[in-house]
Amino acid sequence: MSRSDLYDGSWTTVKKVFVTVATTLGVAALAAAVALVGDSGAALGVFFFATAALWLIATLRHAFTVAPEPVPDRDTHEVIR
């Protein structure tokens, strides 16, 4: 999700859920990374699964997002249209 996706336009329910889940997983991964300094096996597990979950939801979001149409301007080649 780009900056313009987050701050421009309307906030749909799907966008709110994605941002909430990604933020929660990111905070958990950060906390686990800090806890890894203490040589904790549980922290390593939390870090691994939070990172894997972030990868999965980002991949699903990219797979199901409709690509925007190119903006027709003088720099857009006519083959793209």
Side-chain angles (χ1 to χ4, degrees):
M1 210 171 253
S2 68
R3 187 212 64 82
S4 64
D5 290 339
L6 291 175
Y7 298 111
D8 297 340
S10 64
W11 277 77
T12 62
T13 304
V14 173
K15 193 182 292 187
K16 288 178 187 177
V17 169
F18 172 77
V19 170
T20 303
V21 171
T23 301
T24 304
L25 288 171
V27 169
L30 177 63
V34 170
L36 280 173
V37 173
D39 197 29
S40 171
L44 180 62
V46 170
F47 183 72
F48 173 79
F49 286 109
T51 303
L54 280 168
W55 170 80
L56 178 65
I57 64 170
T59 301
L60 290 174
R61 187 189 67 80
H62 285 291
F64 293 111
T65 300
V66 177
E69 291 292 322
V71 178
D73 62 2
R74 68 178 187 82
D75 296 326
T76 306
H77 193 274
E78 60 270 1
V79 175
I80 295 175
R81 294 183 197 163

